[in-house]
Every structure is written in C-alpha cells, then in structure tokens.
Amino acid sequence: MSEIKLKKQTAIVTGANSGIGEGVAIALGEAGANVVVNYVINPDAANDVVQKIKSFGPDAIAIKADVSKEGEVINMFQQAIKQFGTVDILVNNAGLQRDAKFHEMTLAQWQFVIDINLTGQFLCAREAIKEFLRRGIVPERSVACGKIICMSSVHQIIPWAGHANYASSKGGIKMLMQTIAQEYGRQKIRVNSICPGAIKTPINTAAWDTPQAYNNLMELIPYNRIGVPEDIGKLAVFLASDDSDYITGASIFIDGGMTLFEGFATGG
Ligand SMILES: NC(=O)c1ccc[n+]([C@@H]2O[C@H](COP(=O)([O-])OP(=O)(O)OC[C@H]3O[C@@H](n4cnc5c(N)ncnc54)[C@H](O)[C@@H]3O)[C@@H](O)[C@H]2O)c1
C-alpha cells in the first residue's frame, strides 16, 4: 500500500544526508517517490542515502547546494527538473543551531542561522512553487498541484533561552508556511509544517548521549522516549500523499507530548 502512495512523484529533501532529513528521504523513497538528496557537506553520506532509496526501486540523486545561496538553490531545482521532469514534493528540512546567550550573540551567529533555517526555506519554497505553477495538476500522480513540508520545531511556540536565533527562525517558518498556504491554496498547492520535539540526531547529541542528559530530557516528554527520524518520516509521507489532501496551513507537533508542558503535571 505505502509503496504506491507517492509513485511517479519526485521529492527534493534538503539536508537529506543526516538525521531527520535522511529518515524523511528514505521514507519517501519507500513510499515510491524519486528523491533528490540535497546535501552541503559529506557527499559519501548523501550517496549512501541515494543507494538505499534505489534499493527500494525508485530513482535518487544527490545534489550539492547550500540552501542559503540563491544561485545554488535555483541550480538544484534546474538539475532536479532535468533529471526527473518536475518536482512534486519539497521537504524544507535543512537547519542548524549556533547557540549563545542573547547578550553575547554575535550578528554573524544570528545571521547564519536565519540565512539557513529561514531564508533557505524561502528560497527553496519559491523555486518549488514556480515549478508547481508551471506544471499544473497531473491527476494520475496527485490531486494536488504540489506539496511543501517545512521542518519547523516545537520551538516555533516554546521560547528557548540561549537559542534566540534558532527559535526566531522557527517562529518565522510558521508564518512563512501559513502565508504560502493561504496564497496558493486556490492553485491546489498544500503547505504544512512538521514540528518535532526531541529527535535523536546529531543536532542535539548533548541532550541524549549520557544517561544523565537522557533522564533530564525525559522530564520534558510525557511519552517518555526520545523520537527517531523514522517517526518523522512516516508523518512526512502522510503529508506528501493525497491521504492528507484536506490539510494545508497546519503545524503538526510530533513531540511525545513535549508541548503539553510536563512541568504542569505536578506544578502550577
Ligand atoms: N533533532 C531534533 O530534535 C529536532 C527538533 C526539532 C526540529 N529539528 C529540525 O529538523 C531539521 C533537521 O535537523 P536534524 O536534527 O536532522 O539535524 P542534523 O544536523 O542531523 O541535520 C541537518 C542537516 O541540514 C544540513 N544543512 C545544514 N546547513 C545546510 C545548508 N546551508 N544547506 C543545505 N543543507 C544544510 C546538514 O548538513 C544536515 O544534513 C532542522 O531544521 C532542525 O531544526 C530537529
């Protein structure tokens, strides 16, 4: 069943050679999509993801592009369209942290995170929308003209001391996603956000790699386990498929209940 869901569709996943992006790229490939595995460093890891997807049957290629660079993003879409004919699904996943106390945060730390996490999503979404509008709806592939999934975070609503640049980028993604969803709903383009809580990836190693850190983390998660990239992959397949055809402009929290504010279970 799942392998026919995204058959003949093409997905671009940014930052797809690590963590959540890798999990999403593999899940989309398992669901039948051809996948562009975007990366900026570590081509070997990108090629491993490509080989894994090809082993399920669909095609995949790795394309190097820094999502914060307009020319590189435009070039990535041109290469993808040349290879696969069009793009049906964009997963705006690439992101990073440069943490600092707010009064010590440099402009460079602020700008670097905003450029990649927020402007990168703008640049990729713009190219995707242009391609969706050029191509129009192809009913045998999907009832929608195109799907964009933005990787946000619980920190689009939970303030995060020491991470003002990151939290601001995620708050910005919320409004970017909703505005595009509103602007292109009539053209049958669906735009949604996935808002993960703590997912076990290289971005947050310090939060789970010692028993002490893991126990502290569990105090924030009612469901009492850390998430894994496969959790996010399954949600991405759903949001990319026609099964979620009436969902647009939504932020879906996938966080083991982190946004239930566990501290209030006994306090408050
Ligand atoms: N892991 C979590 O707990 C968690 C929680 C909420 C949100 N997220 C979000 O999920 C996304 C993926 O993070 P992750 O946890 O998998 O971390 P990760 O570090 O494993 O992956 C991030 C990916 O983005 C890529 N990247 C960084 N800068 C880039 C650029 N300029 N151009 C292209 N690619 C670039 C990295 O090379 C890497 O492949 C991020 O947007 C992150 O904010 C993660």
Side-chain angles (χ1 to χ4, degrees), residues 14-21 38-41 65-68 92-96 116-117 121 151-154 166 170 195-204:
T14 65
N17 62 344
S18 174
I20 290 174
N38 162 254
Y39 70 98
V40 71
I41 51 164
D66 178 336
V67 296
S68 68
N92 256 337
N93 168 76
L96 43 64
I116 293 169
N117 292 16
Q121 295 217 7
M151 204 56 68
S152 184
S153 165
V154 290
Y166 183 85
K170 298 302 184 181
C195 302
I199 310 298
K200 195 174 182 183
T201 76
I203 209 174
N204 59 1

Short mmCIF file of all heavy atoms in Angstrom, two decimals, residues 14-21 38-41 65-68 92-96 116-117 121 151-154 166 170 195-204, ligand 1:
data_model
loop_
_atom_site.label_atom_id
_atom_site.label_comp_id
_atom_site.label_asym_id
_atom_site.label_seq_id
_atom_site.Cartn_x
_atom_site.Cartn_y
_atom_site.Cartn_z
N THR A 14 15.87 18.69 1.56
CA THR A 14 17.12 19.41 1.85
C THR A 14 17.75 18.86 3.12
O THR A 14 17.05 18.38 4.03
CB THR A 14 16.87 20.94 1.97
OG1 THR A 14 16.04 21.20 3.11
CG2 THR A 14 16.22 21.50 0.72
N GLY A 15 19.07 18.91 3.15
CA GLY A 15 19.80 18.37 4.31
C GLY A 15 19.45 16.91 4.54
O GLY A 15 19.20 16.48 5.67
N ALA A 16 19.48 16.12 3.44
CA ALA A 16 18.94 14.75 3.50
C ALA A 16 20.02 13.69 3.75
O ALA A 16 19.74 12.51 3.62
CB ALA A 16 18.19 14.44 2.20
N ASN A 17 21.21 14.13 4.11
CA ASN A 17 22.26 13.12 4.34
C ASN A 17 22.53 12.90 5.82
O ASN A 17 23.55 12.31 6.20
CB ASN A 17 23.56 13.51 3.61
CG ASN A 17 24.13 14.82 4.10
OD1 ASN A 17 23.43 15.60 4.76
ND2 ASN A 17 25.37 15.08 3.78
N SER A 18 21.61 13.34 6.67
CA SER A 18 21.82 13.20 8.12
C SER A 18 20.47 13.29 8.83
O SER A 18 19.53 13.92 8.33
CB SER A 18 22.73 14.34 8.60
OG SER A 18 22.85 14.33 10.01
N GLY A 19 20.36 12.62 9.96
CA GLY A 19 19.25 12.84 10.89
C GLY A 19 17.86 12.74 10.30
O GLY A 19 17.51 11.78 9.59
N ILE A 20 17.05 13.75 10.58
CA ILE A 20 15.65 13.75 10.17
C ILE A 20 15.52 13.76 8.65
O ILE A 20 14.70 13.04 8.08
CB ILE A 20 14.92 14.98 10.78
CG1 ILE A 20 14.78 14.80 12.30
CG2 ILE A 20 13.58 15.20 10.12
CD1 ILE A 20 14.22 16.02 13.03
N GLY A 21 16.34 14.54 7.96
CA GLY A 21 16.27 14.61 6.50
C GLY A 21 16.53 13.25 5.88
O GLY A 21 15.85 12.85 4.92
N ASN A 38 19.48 16.31 -1.14
CA ASN A 38 20.32 17.51 -1.07
C ASN A 38 21.30 17.41 0.10
O ASN A 38 20.97 16.89 1.16
CB ASN A 38 19.44 18.76 -0.90
CG ASN A 38 20.24 19.95 -0.39
OD1 ASN A 38 20.13 20.33 0.78
ND2 ASN A 38 21.08 20.52 -1.23
N TYR A 39 22.50 17.93 -0.14
CA TYR A 39 23.50 17.96 0.94
C TYR A 39 24.40 19.17 0.72
O TYR A 39 24.43 19.74 -0.38
CB TYR A 39 24.34 16.67 0.95
CG TYR A 39 25.27 16.57 -0.22
CD1 TYR A 39 26.62 16.92 -0.11
CD2 TYR A 39 24.80 16.17 -1.47
CE1 TYR A 39 27.47 16.87 -1.20
CE2 TYR A 39 25.65 16.11 -2.56
CZ TYR A 39 26.98 16.46 -2.42
OH TYR A 39 27.82 16.42 -3.51
N VAL A 40 25.14 19.53 1.75
CA VAL A 40 26.11 20.62 1.58
C VAL A 40 27.51 20.16 1.98
O VAL A 40 28.49 20.64 1.44
CB VAL A 40 25.64 21.89 2.32
CG1 VAL A 40 25.72 21.75 3.83
CG2 VAL A 40 26.37 23.13 1.87
N ILE A 41 27.60 19.24 2.93
CA ILE A 41 28.88 18.60 3.26
C ILE A 41 28.63 17.09 3.32
O ILE A 41 27.49 16.66 3.45
CB ILE A 41 29.46 19.06 4.63
CG1 ILE A 41 28.39 18.95 5.72
CG2 ILE A 41 30.06 20.45 4.55
CD1 ILE A 41 28.94 19.02 7.13
N ALA A 65 23.99 21.63 -2.67
CA ALA A 65 23.55 23.02 -2.72
C ALA A 65 23.42 23.54 -1.30
O ALA A 65 22.88 22.87 -0.44
CB ALA A 65 22.19 23.14 -3.42
N ASP A 66 23.95 24.74 -1.10
CA ASP A 66 23.75 25.44 0.17
C ASP A 66 22.41 26.16 0.06
O ASP A 66 22.24 27.04 -0.80
CB ASP A 66 24.90 26.43 0.36
CG ASP A 66 24.78 27.25 1.64
OD1 ASP A 66 23.65 27.42 2.15
OD2 ASP A 66 25.81 27.75 2.12
N VAL A 67 21.45 25.79 0.92
CA VAL A 67 20.09 26.34 0.78
C VAL A 67 20.02 27.84 1.03
O VAL A 67 19.02 28.48 0.69
CB VAL A 67 19.06 25.61 1.68
CG1 VAL A 67 18.89 24.15 1.29
CG2 VAL A 67 19.40 25.76 3.17
N SER A 68 21.05 28.42 1.62
CA SER A 68 21.02 29.86 1.87
C SER A 68 21.55 30.67 0.68
O SER A 68 21.54 31.89 0.72
CB SER A 68 21.82 30.19 3.13
OG SER A 68 23.20 29.96 2.92
N ASN A 92 11.49 21.02 3.16
CA ASN A 92 12.42 22.06 3.59
C ASN A 92 12.95 21.67 4.96
O ASN A 92 12.42 22.08 5.99
CB ASN A 92 11.64 23.37 3.73
CG ASN A 92 11.87 24.32 2.58
OD1 ASN A 92 12.88 24.26 1.90
ND2 ASN A 92 10.93 25.23 2.40
N ASN A 93 14.00 20.85 4.96
CA ASN A 93 14.46 20.28 6.23
C ASN A 93 15.75 20.88 6.76
O ASN A 93 15.95 20.94 7.98
CB ASN A 93 14.63 18.76 6.04
CG ASN A 93 15.38 18.13 7.18
OD1 ASN A 93 14.83 17.92 8.27
ND2 ASN A 93 16.66 17.84 6.97
N ALA A 94 16.65 21.32 5.88
CA ALA A 94 18.00 21.74 6.32
C ALA A 94 17.91 22.79 7.42
O ALA A 94 17.11 23.73 7.34
CB ALA A 94 18.77 22.30 5.13
N GLY A 95 18.72 22.61 8.45
CA GLY A 95 18.72 23.57 9.54
C GLY A 95 19.84 23.28 10.50
O GLY A 95 20.40 22.18 10.51
N LEU A 96 20.18 24.28 11.30
CA LEU A 96 21.25 24.09 12.29
C LEU A 96 21.08 25.08 13.44
O LEU A 96 20.18 25.92 13.44
CB LEU A 96 22.63 24.25 11.64
CG LEU A 96 22.87 25.38 10.65
CD1 LEU A 96 22.74 26.75 11.29
CD2 LEU A 96 24.24 25.25 9.99
N ILE A 116 20.15 30.20 6.90
CA ILE A 116 19.94 28.79 6.53
C ILE A 116 18.54 28.33 6.90
O ILE A 116 17.81 27.78 6.07
CB ILE A 116 21.03 27.90 7.17
CG1 ILE A 116 22.39 28.25 6.53
CG2 ILE A 116 20.71 26.41 7.00
CD1 ILE A 116 23.59 27.68 7.22
N ASN A 117 18.14 28.56 8.15
CA ASN A 117 16.87 27.98 8.63
C ASN A 117 15.64 28.66 8.04
O ASN A 117 14.63 28.00 7.80
CB ASN A 117 16.78 28.09 10.16
CG ASN A 117 17.79 27.22 10.88
OD1 ASN A 117 18.76 26.74 10.28
ND2 ASN A 117 17.60 27.03 12.17
N GLN A 121 14.52 28.23 3.57
CA GLN A 121 13.18 27.69 3.30
C GLN A 121 12.43 28.58 2.30
O GLN A 121 11.69 28.09 1.44
CB GLN A 121 12.39 27.54 4.61
CG GLN A 121 13.00 26.50 5.54
CD GLN A 121 11.97 25.67 6.31
OE1 GLN A 121 10.77 25.76 6.07
NE2 GLN A 121 12.45 24.84 7.22
N MET A 151 10.19 21.87 7.82
CA MET A 151 10.62 21.31 9.09
C MET A 151 10.77 22.47 10.07
O MET A 151 11.71 23.25 9.99
CB MET A 151 11.94 20.55 8.94
CG MET A 151 12.15 19.49 10.00
SD MET A 151 10.81 18.26 10.08
CE MET A 151 11.03 17.39 8.52
N SER A 152 9.79 22.58 10.96
CA SER A 152 9.86 23.62 11.98
C SER A 152 10.36 22.97 13.26
O SER A 152 11.30 22.16 13.23
CB SER A 152 8.51 24.29 12.14
OG SER A 152 8.59 25.35 13.05
N SER A 153 9.71 23.23 14.38
CA SER A 153 10.17 22.70 15.67
C SER A 153 9.13 23.06 16.72
O SER A 153 8.34 23.99 16.53
CB SER A 153 11.50 23.37 16.04
OG SER A 153 11.81 23.16 17.40
N VAL A 154 9.17 22.34 17.85
CA VAL A 154 8.35 22.80 18.99
C VAL A 154 8.73 24.23 19.35
O VAL A 154 7.93 24.96 19.95
CB VAL A 154 8.51 21.88 20.23
CG1 VAL A 154 7.87 20.52 20.01
CG2 VAL A 154 9.97 21.74 20.66
N TYR A 166 17.74 30.53 16.73
CA TYR A 166 17.05 29.31 16.29
C TYR A 166 15.54 29.44 16.49
O TYR A 166 14.75 29.18 15.57
CB TYR A 166 17.61 28.11 17.06
CG TYR A 166 17.04 26.77 16.66
CD1 TYR A 166 17.57 26.06 15.59
CD2 TYR A 166 15.98 26.19 17.37
CE1 TYR A 166 17.06 24.82 15.22
CE2 TYR A 166 15.46 24.96 17.02
CZ TYR A 166 16.01 24.27 15.94
OH TYR A 166 15.49 23.03 15.60
N LYS A 170 12.42 29.48 13.67
CA LYS A 170 11.29 28.55 13.63
C LYS A 170 9.96 29.30 13.74
O LYS A 170 8.97 28.92 13.10
CB LYS A 170 11.43 27.49 14.73
CG LYS A 170 12.68 26.60 14.59
CD LYS A 170 12.73 25.87 13.25
CE LYS A 170 13.91 24.91 13.16
NZ LYS A 170 13.97 24.21 11.87
N CYS A 195 6.50 19.87 13.27
CA CYS A 195 7.15 20.49 14.42
C CYS A 195 7.66 19.41 15.37
O CYS A 195 6.94 18.99 16.30
CB CYS A 195 6.18 21.40 15.16
SG CYS A 195 5.48 22.69 14.11
N PRO A 196 8.89 18.93 15.16
CA PRO A 196 9.39 17.86 16.03
C PRO A 196 9.74 18.39 17.41
O PRO A 196 10.13 19.55 17.59
CB PRO A 196 10.66 17.38 15.32
CG PRO A 196 10.62 17.99 13.94
CD PRO A 196 9.83 19.25 14.08
N GLY A 197 9.62 17.47 18.39
CA GLY A 197 10.20 17.72 19.71
C GLY A 197 11.64 17.22 19.67
O GLY A 197 12.39 17.56 18.76
N ALA A 198 12.04 16.39 20.65
CA ALA A 198 13.42 15.90 20.68
C ALA A 198 13.53 14.63 19.84
O ALA A 198 12.90 13.62 20.16
CB ALA A 198 13.84 15.62 22.11
N ILE A 199 14.29 14.71 18.77
CA ILE A 199 14.52 13.57 17.88
C ILE A 199 16.02 13.24 17.95
O ILE A 199 16.86 14.16 17.91
CB ILE A 199 14.11 13.91 16.43
CG1 ILE A 199 12.70 14.53 16.38
CG2 ILE A 199 14.23 12.67 15.54
CD1 ILE A 199 11.56 13.65 16.87
N LYS A 200 16.33 11.96 18.03
CA LYS A 200 17.72 11.54 18.22
C LYS A 200 18.51 11.72 16.92
O LYS A 200 18.42 10.89 16.01
CB LYS A 200 17.73 10.07 18.66
CG LYS A 200 19.03 9.60 19.21
CD LYS A 200 18.89 8.18 19.74
CE LYS A 200 20.21 7.75 20.34
NZ LYS A 200 20.15 6.36 20.80
N THR A 201 19.23 12.83 16.80
CA THR A 201 20.05 13.12 15.61
C THR A 201 21.31 13.85 16.06
O THR A 201 21.42 14.27 17.23
CB THR A 201 19.30 14.05 14.61
OG1 THR A 201 19.32 15.39 15.13
CG2 THR A 201 17.88 13.60 14.34
N PRO A 202 22.26 14.08 15.13
CA PRO A 202 23.49 14.77 15.52
C PRO A 202 23.28 16.20 16.03
O PRO A 202 24.13 16.73 16.74
CB PRO A 202 24.31 14.79 14.22
CG PRO A 202 23.80 13.61 13.45
CD PRO A 202 22.34 13.52 13.77
N ILE A 203 22.15 16.85 15.69
CA ILE A 203 21.98 18.27 16.07
C ILE A 203 21.90 18.43 17.59
O ILE A 203 22.25 19.48 18.12
CB ILE A 203 20.72 18.88 15.39
CG1 ILE A 203 20.85 20.39 15.15
CG2 ILE A 203 19.46 18.64 16.20
CD1 ILE A 203 19.70 21.02 14.36
N ASN A 204 21.41 17.40 18.29
CA ASN A 204 21.16 17.55 19.73
C ASN A 204 21.81 16.43 20.56
O ASN A 204 21.27 16.03 21.59
CB ASN A 204 19.65 17.59 19.99
CG ASN A 204 18.95 16.34 19.48
OD1 ASN A 204 19.60 15.44 18.97
ND2 ASN A 204 17.65 16.28 19.63
N1 LIG B 1 16.64 16.70 16.09
C1 LIG B 1 15.70 17.38 16.72
O1 LIG B 1 15.41 17.14 17.90
C2 LIG B 1 14.93 18.46 16.01
C3 LIG B 1 13.84 19.02 16.66
C4 LIG B 1 13.09 20.00 16.02
C5 LIG B 1 13.43 20.41 14.75
N2 LIG B 1 14.51 19.85 14.14
C6 LIG B 1 14.82 20.33 12.79
O2 LIG B 1 14.98 19.25 11.91
C7 LIG B 1 15.86 19.65 10.85
C8 LIG B 1 16.94 18.58 10.67
O3 LIG B 1 17.75 18.54 11.82
P1 LIG B 1 18.43 17.20 12.36
O4 LIG B 1 18.03 17.05 13.76
O5 LIG B 1 18.22 16.10 11.42
O6 LIG B 1 19.96 17.66 12.39
P2 LIG B 1 21.22 17.19 11.50
O7 LIG B 1 22.33 18.09 11.92
O8 LIG B 1 21.38 15.72 11.59
O9 LIG B 1 20.76 17.54 10.01
C9 LIG B 1 20.74 18.84 9.48
C10 LIG B 1 21.01 18.73 8.00
O10 LIG B 1 20.97 20.05 7.41
C11 LIG B 1 22.11 20.19 6.59
N3 LIG B 1 22.47 21.59 6.37
C12 LIG B 1 22.97 22.48 7.26
N4 LIG B 1 23.21 23.65 6.64
C13 LIG B 1 22.84 23.49 5.35
C14 LIG B 1 22.83 24.35 4.20
N5 LIG B 1 23.27 25.60 4.28
N6 LIG B 1 22.37 23.84 3.03
C15 LIG B 1 21.93 22.57 2.94
N7 LIG B 1 21.92 21.73 3.97
C16 LIG B 1 22.37 22.19 5.16
C17 LIG B 1 23.19 19.43 7.33
O11 LIG B 1 24.34 19.17 6.52
C18 LIG B 1 22.41 18.17 7.70
O12 LIG B 1 22.33 17.30 6.61
C19 LIG B 1 16.38 21.03 11.20
O13 LIG B 1 15.62 22.01 10.51
C20 LIG B 1 16.12 21.11 12.69
O14 LIG B 1 15.96 22.44 13.13
C21 LIG B 1 15.27 18.89 14.74
#
